[in-house]
Amino acid sequence: MGSTSIPFSEPLWLQGIPSPYYTDSHRKWQKACRAFIGENLTKHAFEWEREETLPEHVFQTFSKAHMLIPALPAPLPVERLKSLGINEILGLPVEEFDYFHNCIYTDEMHKSGLIGPPGSLTTGMSFGVPPMIKFGSKELQDRILPDLLTGRKRACIAITEPDAGSDVANIQTTAVKSSDGKKYIINGTKKWITNGYWSHWSTMAVRTGGAGAGGLSLVVVPLKGHPGVTMRRLKVQGQVSAGTTYIELDDVEVPVENLLGKEGMGMKYIMTNFNHERLSLAVAATRQARVALSAAFEYCLKREAFGKSLMEQPVVRHRLAKCGAPLEAQWAWLETFIYSLIKMPRDEADVELGGLTAAAKAQAGIVLNECAQCAMLLFGGNGYTRTGQGEIAERECDTAITSVTTYC
């Protein structure tokens, strides 16, 4: 049985504690992910977040290794992937990929504690592509998916608007059919669209009918370089490098074949897609909380005040333990949740676990907030610097502040 030198820095199963959930396949996958992601993302993450953009070669490196595909929900679209010559990812056969593999991947992608750099790479694949796979026609999938799955082009999910955030049913962007019925003419705006600035395609929520949820549809809308589309990056407080974008759509023409599923079913499709989004965010936030708390723990072992280390102060140990308990409980809940997701038929899980997915995401935001605040308090003045170890706490608090809207 192994151990880790800093408490809370790794989930229990990676410390050698027995677990009923993880197989040899999961353990091999975790080691492969940590090696690849550590070399190609984690060790540069803070540098790229400061620069506010990842170099283009990073996306290409992940694409060539097929390491964006694990951001998709499980099971993977095996037949489609094999038709593109993608049979395995870092030695894992694509047909063996389950939600614990996805969870491990997401956890490792956020090991830096930052959400911007991994979000820059995976948000489009994780949130924008799945509705095309699940609801798109064969013609649309044949036309668009090969470029997206191989990384030749990029996608995003475009739901939120300036006046419609959590209130999805109030979306105002319209899609009106042309007089010949062959095109949708789209007008409106989208805001806070992660990855939008680089995206060739977006899975976009539009209003094809009357007011309310029943008037919404999902349409795959071309973005980058398409007539009538204007995009600009937004300056944001957290996940700076993820390419948060404001999109204006002025008489944008889109073939009616780009409709996903049926008109008027957009709200249902969006809610279904939210399940995977929320689970991914819950795993990411839990890892961020782990990074913040373990960094504070390590700092308290070294920092001396009043003639002794901070860790020798009972009140400090109490604060760390008080945050560590809900952190480990959150991870245990996610493991149980993922196990249920694997064992249940997907359509049933979408319904039965939908509310719990939202709760898991919200709770992850609460845990992150508590751990980030604890770290900030214990780092003291060092927590306000964007250099050295204190940068971890400062960045985590940025994320915890944005968790009010992003995670909760």
Side-chain angles (χ1 to χ4, degrees):
M1 182 177 294
S3 63
T4 184
S5 57
I6 303 298
F8 310 122
S9 62
E10 296 288 2
L12 294 179
W13 77 279
L14 288 180
Q15 299 180 44
I17 304 299
S19 169
Y21 302 121
Y22 301 97
T23 65
D24 287 343
S25 174
H26 297 128
R27 296 180 187 280
K28 290 178 182 177
W29 174 245
Q30 185 274 329
K31 290 178 181 178
C33 283
R34 179 157 297 187
F36 181 90
I37 296 168
E39 177 64 26
N40 294 293
L41 179 66
T42 307
K43 75 178 185 180
H44 304 290
F46 277 88
E47 172 190 350
W48 292 335
E49 183 73 357
R50 293 186 204 107
E51 294 174 355
E52 301 188 357
T53 299
L54 269 65
E56 176 61 25
H57 71 78
V58 183
F59 185 84
Q60 297 305 322
T61 296
F62 273 75
S63 295
K64 289 177 182 177
H66 311 310
M67 277 296 283
L68 301 176
I69 291 170
L72 291 170
L76 296 175
V78 173
E79 184 177 343
R80 172 70 61 178
L81 292 174
K82 289 192 172 184
S83 73
L84 297 171
I86 303 172
N87 299 303
E88 53 85 21
I89 306 169
L90 297 188
L92 174 70
V94 292
E95 60 268 24
E96 292 184 13
F97 187 90
D98 65 23
Y99 249 113
F100 274 111
H101 292 102
N102 172 270
C103 172
I104 291 166
Y105 170 82
T106 303
D107 187 49
E108 292 296 330
M109 286 292 285
H110 293 84
K111 198 171 186 303
S112 67
L114 300 176
I115 196 170
S120 172
L121 296 170
T122 63
T123 302
M125 186 70 77
S126 183
F127 304 162
V129 175
M132 302 183 202
I133 294 173
K134 187 162 187 177
F135 305 114
S137 67
K138 184 178 185 303
E139 183 277 329
L140 180 140
Q141 292 181 4
D142 290 344
R143 175 162 46 94
I144 295 176
L145 284 181
D147 282 344
L148 294 178
L149 293 174
T150 56
R152 291 191 293 267
K153 291 186 177 180
R154 302 183 67 166
C156 65
I157 185 84
I159 307 295
T160 308
E161 298 180 359
D163 297 314
S166 299
D167 184 11
V168 175
N170 193 40
I171 281 171
Q172 299 300 308
T173 296
T174 59
V176 179
K177 282 185 178 178
S178 59
S179 57
D180 61 7
K182 294 182 178 180
K183 299 176 182 177
Y184 286 111
I185 310 300
I186 299 179
N187 286 279
T189 56
K190 296 292 178 179
K191 193 174 184 181
W192 298 296
I193 306 305
T194 307
N195 289 183
Y197 194 72
W198 306 300
S199 294
H200 302 84
W201 298 100
S202 66
T203 295
M204 186 175 293
V206 296
R207 187 164 298 284
T208 54
L216 297 182
S217 300
L218 284 184
V219 176
V220 178
V221 179
L223 292 181
K224 196 173 181 181
H226 193 74
V229 177
T230 304
M231 298 192 290
R232 60 181 173 86
R233 286 188 69 171
L234 296 173
K235 288 285 186 179
V236 291
Q237 184 164 325
Q239 60 173 26
V240 179
S241 60
T244 305
T245 306
Y246 187 89
I247 303 173
E248 296 177 85
L249 304 131
D250 298 305
D251 292 333
V252 177
E253 297 184 359
V254 180
V256 294
E257 290 81 8
N258 283 23
L259 174 71
L260 295 179
K262 299 178 180 179
E263 282 194 2
M265 294 295 290
M267 190 69 172
K268 179 179 179 180
Y269 299 159
I270 291 167
M271 291 298 108
T272 299
N273 202 53
F274 275 175
N275 288 340
H276 176 64
E277 292 185 36
R278 287 165 172 162
L279 180 59
S280 298
L281 290 170
V283 173
T286 306
R287 169 54 79 170
Q288 289 179 283
R290 192 176 294 285
V291 172
L293 192 63
S294 61
F297 199 108
E298 184 176 13
Y299 178 77
C300 290
L301 289 171
K302 299 184 295 185
R303 175 69 171 176
E304 292 191 358
F306 306 106
K308 61 177 70 174
S309 71
L310 291 181
M311 192 60 73
E312 293 178 78
Q313 302 286 354
V315 67
V316 171
R317 297 197 300 274
H318 172 75
R319 283 191 174 275
L320 290 167
K322 189 177 179 181
C323 287
L327 169 60
E328 297 301 350
Q330 171 70 15
W331 186 256
W333 184 25
L334 287 175
E335 288 178 322
T336 303
F337 185 89
I338 293 167
Y339 178 79
S340 299
L341 190 61
I342 291 173
K343 293 299 181 180
M344 296 173 69
R346 187 55 194 269
D347 289 343
E348 180 183 348
D350 282 341
V351 175
E352 297 297 330
L353 301 179
L356 288 175
T357 310
K361 173 189 160 187
Q363 182 65 18
I366 292 169
V367 171
L368 171 57
N369 185 56
E370 290 297 318
C371 290
Q373 287 195 36
C374 176
M376 198 72 169
L377 174 70
L378 295 176
F379 269 105
N382 285 326
Y384 286 95
T385 60
R386 289 209 168 185
T387 56
Q389 194 174 19
E391 183 175 12
I392 295 174
E394 200 277 341
R395 295 282 188 183
E396 295 294 354
C397 281
D398 272 357
T399 301
I401 292 169
T402 59
S403 74
V404 173
T405 54
T406 304
Y407 292 123
C408 300

